[in-house]
Amino acid sequence: MNEIECHPFESFFEKSYKAIIIGTFPCRDFKVNYPFNYGDWYYSGSSRNMLWDILSKIYSVNLDTRQEKENLLKTNKIGIADIAKSIHRKIDKCGDKDFIIEDYNDELLDIIKDNPGIKLMFTSKIAQNFTKSRFQTKYGRSYTNLEVALLPPSPSASRYIGSLDDYKEYKMQNSTANTKTFRVKKYKEHFILVS
């Protein structure tokens, strides 16, 4: 069994925020064995993850540093957190199916319970399912928040996105379209609403 990894970042949220991006657990650079390198903040441990690139296109800002990322989220009242507090990986990969959650992020669950008006924006169906299940287990009920399952920002999801009917229609109407521009289009539907 691989070593247990603890989440390197704190949940980023304030009471005034209107939405929160929820993922599972940070990816890391597997070329570095120890200490583990998760990048400068959420979604930066893998240079291939597209979240910050998508948001930079939506909001027309540079998001090269942690401070720029935090400023964008603060300005638009968006939080960010992961459902897992610690994990162990079955294999050295970043996929949601490649690890087992050892401990859940109860702080995130408390944020959801205490802020029923915030919109929950999940970066994958797996993150959504983990959160729903753990919330139900902890509080004995379901949350009532508005929730959205975003298209995964991971490049490994491109094949799945390419199979979607919405994408195929989009591609027919836009000859230069690809799964990345489609993600930007779909994210914009949800993120512009919270700005």
Side-chain angles (χ1 to χ4, degrees), residues 118-137:
I118 62 163
K119 182 178 183 178
L120 311 178
M121 297 190 290
F122 296 97
T123 61
S124 71
K125 289 276 189 190
I126 292 175
Q128 185 177 28
N129 292 338
F130 278 151
T131 304
K132 277 184 175 180
S133 173
R134 183 62 178 176
F135 191 93
Q136 178 75 42
T137 299

PDB file of all heavy atoms in Angstrom, residues 118-137:
ATOM      1  N   ILE A 118     -25.173  28.636  -0.965  1.00  0.00           N
ATOM      2  CA  ILE A 118     -24.043  28.605  -1.898  1.00  0.00           C
ATOM      3  C   ILE A 118     -24.247  27.531  -2.960  1.00  0.00           C
ATOM      4  O   ILE A 118     -24.820  26.480  -2.707  1.00  0.00           O
ATOM      5  CB  ILE A 118     -22.672  28.403  -1.205  1.00  0.00           C
ATOM      6  CG1 ILE A 118     -22.604  27.071  -0.469  1.00  0.00           C
ATOM      7  CG2 ILE A 118     -22.329  29.572  -0.323  1.00  0.00           C
ATOM      8  CD1 ILE A 118     -21.190  26.657  -0.142  1.00  0.00           C
ATOM      9  N   LYS A 119     -23.776  27.862  -4.133  1.00  0.00           N
ATOM     10  CA  LYS A 119     -23.837  26.936  -5.264  1.00  0.00           C
ATOM     11  C   LYS A 119     -22.621  26.018  -5.210  1.00  0.00           C
ATOM     12  O   LYS A 119     -21.494  26.481  -5.041  1.00  0.00           O
ATOM     13  CB  LYS A 119     -23.825  27.757  -6.562  1.00  0.00           C
ATOM     14  CG  LYS A 119     -23.926  26.975  -7.831  1.00  0.00           C
ATOM     15  CD  LYS A 119     -23.943  27.969  -8.997  1.00  0.00           C
ATOM     16  CE  LYS A 119     -24.121  27.312 -10.326  1.00  0.00           C
ATOM     17  NZ  LYS A 119     -24.183  28.311 -11.404  1.00  0.00           N
ATOM     18  N   LEU A 120     -22.845  24.719  -5.345  1.00  0.00           N
ATOM     19  CA  LEU A 120     -21.776  23.730  -5.317  1.00  0.00           C
ATOM     20  C   LEU A 120     -21.418  23.364  -6.749  1.00  0.00           C
ATOM     21  O   LEU A 120     -22.260  22.891  -7.507  1.00  0.00           O
ATOM     22  CB  LEU A 120     -22.220  22.480  -4.552  1.00  0.00           C
ATOM     23  CG  LEU A 120     -22.871  22.711  -3.182  1.00  0.00           C
ATOM     24  CD1 LEU A 120     -23.297  21.391  -2.566  1.00  0.00           C
ATOM     25  CD2 LEU A 120     -21.939  23.478  -2.259  1.00  0.00           C
ATOM     26  N   MET A 121     -20.149  23.594  -7.130  1.00  0.00           N
ATOM     27  CA  MET A 121     -19.699  23.312  -8.497  1.00  0.00           C
ATOM     28  C   MET A 121     -18.627  22.225  -8.439  1.00  0.00           C
ATOM     29  O   MET A 121     -17.483  22.487  -8.064  1.00  0.00           O
ATOM     30  CB  MET A 121     -19.168  24.590  -9.148  1.00  0.00           C
ATOM     31  CG  MET A 121     -20.263  25.646  -9.295  1.00  0.00           C
ATOM     32  SD  MET A 121     -19.778  27.068 -10.303  1.00  0.00           S
ATOM     33  CE  MET A 121     -18.587  27.851  -9.247  1.00  0.00           C
ATOM     34  N   PHE A 122     -19.028  21.011  -8.770  1.00  0.00           N
ATOM     35  CA  PHE A 122     -18.145  19.854  -8.667  1.00  0.00           C
ATOM     36  C   PHE A 122     -17.328  19.678  -9.933  1.00  0.00           C
ATOM     37  O   PHE A 122     -17.849  19.793 -11.042  1.00  0.00           O
ATOM     38  CB  PHE A 122     -18.972  18.595  -8.409  1.00  0.00           C
ATOM     39  CG  PHE A 122     -19.693  18.622  -7.102  1.00  0.00           C
ATOM     40  CD1 PHE A 122     -21.026  19.006  -7.030  1.00  0.00           C
ATOM     41  CD2 PHE A 122     -19.042  18.290  -5.921  1.00  0.00           C
ATOM     42  CE1 PHE A 122     -21.698  19.044  -5.817  1.00  0.00           C
ATOM     43  CE2 PHE A 122     -19.702  18.324  -4.705  1.00  0.00           C
ATOM     44  CZ  PHE A 122     -21.033  18.698  -4.648  1.00  0.00           C
ATOM     45  N   THR A 123     -16.040  19.344  -9.749  1.00  0.00           N
ATOM     46  CA  THR A 123     -15.166  19.150 -10.909  1.00  0.00           C
ATOM     47  C   THR A 123     -15.264  17.745 -11.487  1.00  0.00           C
ATOM     48  O   THR A 123     -14.607  17.447 -12.480  1.00  0.00           O
ATOM     49  CB  THR A 123     -13.692  19.445 -10.555  1.00  0.00           C
ATOM     50  OG1 THR A 123     -13.274  18.542  -9.515  1.00  0.00           O
ATOM     51  CG2 THR A 123     -13.519  20.891 -10.123  1.00  0.00           C
ATOM     52  N   SER A 124     -16.080  16.901 -10.870  1.00  0.00           N
ATOM     53  CA  SER A 124     -16.325  15.566 -11.416  1.00  0.00           C
ATOM     54  C   SER A 124     -17.551  14.973 -10.745  1.00  0.00           C
ATOM     55  O   SER A 124     -17.939  15.390  -9.650  1.00  0.00           O
ATOM     56  CB  SER A 124     -15.122  14.640 -11.204  1.00  0.00           C
ATOM     57  OG  SER A 124     -14.991  14.302  -9.832  1.00  0.00           O
ATOM     58  N   LYS A 125     -18.145  13.995 -11.401  1.00  0.00           N
ATOM     59  CA  LYS A 125     -19.274  13.266 -10.805  1.00  0.00           C
ATOM     60  C   LYS A 125     -18.821  12.509  -9.554  1.00  0.00           C
ATOM     61  O   LYS A 125     -19.577  12.360  -8.607  1.00  0.00           O
ATOM     62  CB  LYS A 125     -19.858  12.277 -11.817  1.00  0.00           C
ATOM     63  CG  LYS A 125     -20.614  12.931 -12.949  1.00  0.00           C
ATOM     64  CD  LYS A 125     -22.022  13.234 -12.540  1.00  0.00           C
ATOM     65  CE  LYS A 125     -22.827  13.679 -13.752  1.00  0.00           C
ATOM     66  NZ  LYS A 125     -24.122  14.193 -13.348  1.00  0.00           N
ATOM     67  N   ILE A 126     -17.569  12.033  -9.570  1.00  0.00           N
ATOM     68  CA  ILE A 126     -17.063  11.298  -8.409  1.00  0.00           C
ATOM     69  C   ILE A 126     -16.969  12.223  -7.196  1.00  0.00           C
ATOM     70  O   ILE A 126     -17.371  11.853  -6.094  1.00  0.00           O
ATOM     71  CB  ILE A 126     -15.714  10.618  -8.733  1.00  0.00           C
ATOM     72  CG1 ILE A 126     -15.951   9.493  -9.753  1.00  0.00           C
ATOM     73  CG2 ILE A 126     -15.050  10.078  -7.476  1.00  0.00           C
ATOM     74  CD1 ILE A 126     -14.698   8.807 -10.249  1.00  0.00           C
ATOM     75  N   ALA A 127     -16.479  13.451  -7.392  1.00  0.00           N
ATOM     76  CA  ALA A 127     -16.425  14.415  -6.289  1.00  0.00           C
ATOM     77  C   ALA A 127     -17.832  14.691  -5.764  1.00  0.00           C
ATOM     78  O   ALA A 127     -18.059  14.779  -4.548  1.00  0.00           O
ATOM     79  CB  ALA A 127     -15.762  15.711  -6.752  1.00  0.00           C
ATOM     80  N   GLN A 128     -18.778  14.814  -6.674  1.00  0.00           N
ATOM     81  CA  GLN A 128     -20.170  15.050  -6.304  1.00  0.00           C
ATOM     82  C   GLN A 128     -20.721  13.869  -5.500  1.00  0.00           C
ATOM     83  O   GLN A 128     -21.344  14.058  -4.449  1.00  0.00           O
ATOM     84  CB  GLN A 128     -21.000  15.272  -7.567  1.00  0.00           C
ATOM     85  CG  GLN A 128     -22.437  15.655  -7.321  1.00  0.00           C
ATOM     86  CD  GLN A 128     -23.169  15.940  -8.627  1.00  0.00           C
ATOM     87  OE1 GLN A 128     -22.830  15.406  -9.683  1.00  0.00           O
ATOM     88  NE2 GLN A 128     -24.183  16.777  -8.554  1.00  0.00           N
ATOM     89  N   ASN A 129     -20.468  12.661  -5.960  1.00  0.00           N
ATOM     90  CA  ASN A 129     -20.983  11.474  -5.269  1.00  0.00           C
ATOM     91  C   ASN A 129     -20.343  11.284  -3.897  1.00  0.00           C
ATOM     92  O   ASN A 129     -21.031  10.961  -2.926  1.00  0.00           O
ATOM     93  CB  ASN A 129     -20.780  10.226  -6.130  1.00  0.00           C
ATOM     94  CG  ASN A 129     -21.646  10.249  -7.375  1.00  0.00           C
ATOM     95  OD1 ASN A 129     -22.650  10.940  -7.439  1.00  0.00           O
ATOM     96  ND2 ASN A 129     -21.245   9.490  -8.377  1.00  0.00           N
ATOM     97  N   PHE A 130     -19.012  11.488  -3.795  1.00  0.00           N
ATOM     98  CA  PHE A 130     -18.335  11.394  -2.502  1.00  0.00           C
ATOM     99  C   PHE A 130     -18.939  12.397  -1.513  1.00  0.00           C
ATOM    100  O   PHE A 130     -19.193  12.075  -0.353  1.00  0.00           O
ATOM    101  CB  PHE A 130     -16.838  11.716  -2.641  1.00  0.00           C
ATOM    102  CG  PHE A 130     -15.979  10.581  -3.124  1.00  0.00           C
ATOM    103  CD1 PHE A 130     -14.822  10.863  -3.844  1.00  0.00           C
ATOM    104  CD2 PHE A 130     -16.273   9.261  -2.861  1.00  0.00           C
ATOM    105  CE1 PHE A 130     -13.997   9.842  -4.287  1.00  0.00           C
ATOM    106  CE2 PHE A 130     -15.454   8.231  -3.301  1.00  0.00           C
ATOM    107  CZ  PHE A 130     -14.311   8.527  -4.017  1.00  0.00           C
ATOM    108  N   THR A 131     -19.158  13.624  -1.975  1.00  0.00           N
ATOM    109  CA  THR A 131     -19.657  14.687  -1.099  1.00  0.00           C
ATOM    110  C   THR A 131     -21.074  14.384  -0.639  1.00  0.00           C
ATOM    111  O   THR A 131     -21.389  14.510   0.551  1.00  0.00           O
ATOM    112  CB  THR A 131     -19.580  16.050  -1.813  1.00  0.00           C
ATOM    113  OG1 THR A 131     -18.234  16.276  -2.248  1.00  0.00           O
ATOM    114  CG2 THR A 131     -20.013  17.181  -0.899  1.00  0.00           C
ATOM    115  N   LYS A 132     -21.927  13.988  -1.572  1.00  0.00           N
ATOM    116  CA  LYS A 132     -23.320  13.654  -1.213  1.00  0.00           C
ATOM    117  C   LYS A 132     -23.370  12.536  -0.187  1.00  0.00           C
ATOM    118  O   LYS A 132     -24.091  12.613   0.805  1.00  0.00           O
ATOM    119  CB  LYS A 132     -24.089  13.206  -2.460  1.00  0.00           C
ATOM    120  CG  LYS A 132     -24.635  14.308  -3.300  1.00  0.00           C
ATOM    121  CD  LYS A 132     -25.453  13.730  -4.443  1.00  0.00           C
ATOM    122  CE  LYS A 132     -26.101  14.841  -5.231  1.00  0.00           C
ATOM    123  NZ  LYS A 132     -26.894  14.347  -6.345  1.00  0.00           N
ATOM    124  N   SER A 133     -22.611  11.491  -0.443  1.00  0.00           N
ATOM    125  CA  SER A 133     -22.622  10.320   0.432  1.00  0.00           C
ATOM    126  C   SER A 133     -22.099  10.662   1.824  1.00  0.00           C
ATOM    127  O   SER A 133     -22.701  10.296   2.841  1.00  0.00           O
ATOM    128  CB  SER A 133     -21.776   9.216  -0.205  1.00  0.00           C
ATOM    129  OG  SER A 133     -21.631   8.133   0.669  1.00  0.00           O
ATOM    130  N   ARG A 134     -20.991  11.384   1.888  1.00  0.00           N
ATOM    131  CA  ARG A 134     -20.398  11.729   3.183  1.00  0.00           C
ATOM    132  C   ARG A 134     -21.296  12.695   3.960  1.00  0.00           C
ATOM    133  O   ARG A 134     -21.427  12.592   5.173  1.00  0.00           O
ATOM    134  CB  ARG A 134     -18.999  12.335   2.978  1.00  0.00           C
ATOM    135  CG  ARG A 134     -18.285  12.651   4.259  1.00  0.00           C
ATOM    136  CD  ARG A 134     -18.037  11.414   5.098  1.00  0.00           C
ATOM    137  NE  ARG A 134     -17.297  11.762   6.303  1.00  0.00           N
ATOM    138  CZ  ARG A 134     -17.007  10.918   7.260  1.00  0.00           C
ATOM    139  NH1 ARG A 134     -17.394   9.661   7.174  1.00  0.00           N
ATOM    140  NH2 ARG A 134     -16.337  11.313   8.311  1.00  0.00           N
ATOM    141  N   PHE A 135     -21.916  13.653   3.253  1.00  0.00           N
ATOM    142  CA  PHE A 135     -22.824  14.596   3.910  1.00  0.00           C
ATOM    143  C   PHE A 135     -23.997  13.834   4.529  1.00  0.00           C
ATOM    144  O   PHE A 135     -24.372  14.078   5.673  1.00  0.00           O
ATOM    145  CB  PHE A 135     -23.329  15.635   2.906  1.00  0.00           C
ATOM    146  CG  PHE A 135     -24.051  16.791   3.540  1.00  0.00           C
ATOM    147  CD1 PHE A 135     -23.364  17.951   3.874  1.00  0.00           C
ATOM    148  CD2 PHE A 135     -25.417  16.743   3.799  1.00  0.00           C
ATOM    149  CE1 PHE A 135     -24.017  19.029   4.468  1.00  0.00           C
ATOM    150  CE2 PHE A 135     -26.078  17.812   4.385  1.00  0.00           C
ATOM    151  CZ  PHE A 135     -25.380  18.955   4.723  1.00  0.00           C
ATOM    152  N   GLN A 136     -24.567  12.915   3.765  1.00  0.00           N
ATOM    153  CA  GLN A 136     -25.687  12.100   4.242  1.00  0.00           C
ATOM    154  C   GLN A 136     -25.273  11.288   5.475  1.00  0.00           C
ATOM    155  O   GLN A 136     -26.006  11.216   6.456  1.00  0.00           O
ATOM    156  CB  GLN A 136     -26.152  11.157   3.126  1.00  0.00           C
ATOM    157  CG  GLN A 136     -27.288  10.218   3.520  1.00  0.00           C
ATOM    158  CD  GLN A 136     -28.627  10.905   3.603  1.00  0.00           C
ATOM    159  OE1 GLN A 136     -28.961  11.729   2.762  1.00  0.00           O
ATOM    160  NE2 GLN A 136     -29.398  10.572   4.611  1.00  0.00           N
ATOM    161  N   THR A 137     -24.089  10.702   5.427  1.00  0.00           N
ATOM    162  CA  THR A 137     -23.591   9.909   6.556  1.00  0.00           C
ATOM    163  C   THR A 137     -23.384  10.775   7.791  1.00  0.00           C
ATOM    164  O   THR A 137     -23.763  10.407   8.904  1.00  0.00           O
ATOM    165  CB  THR A 137     -22.259   9.216   6.185  1.00  0.00           C
ATOM    166  OG1 THR A 137     -22.500   8.345   5.081  1.00  0.00           O
ATOM    167  CG2 THR A 137     -21.682   8.432   7.344  1.00  0.00           C
TER     168      THR A 137
END
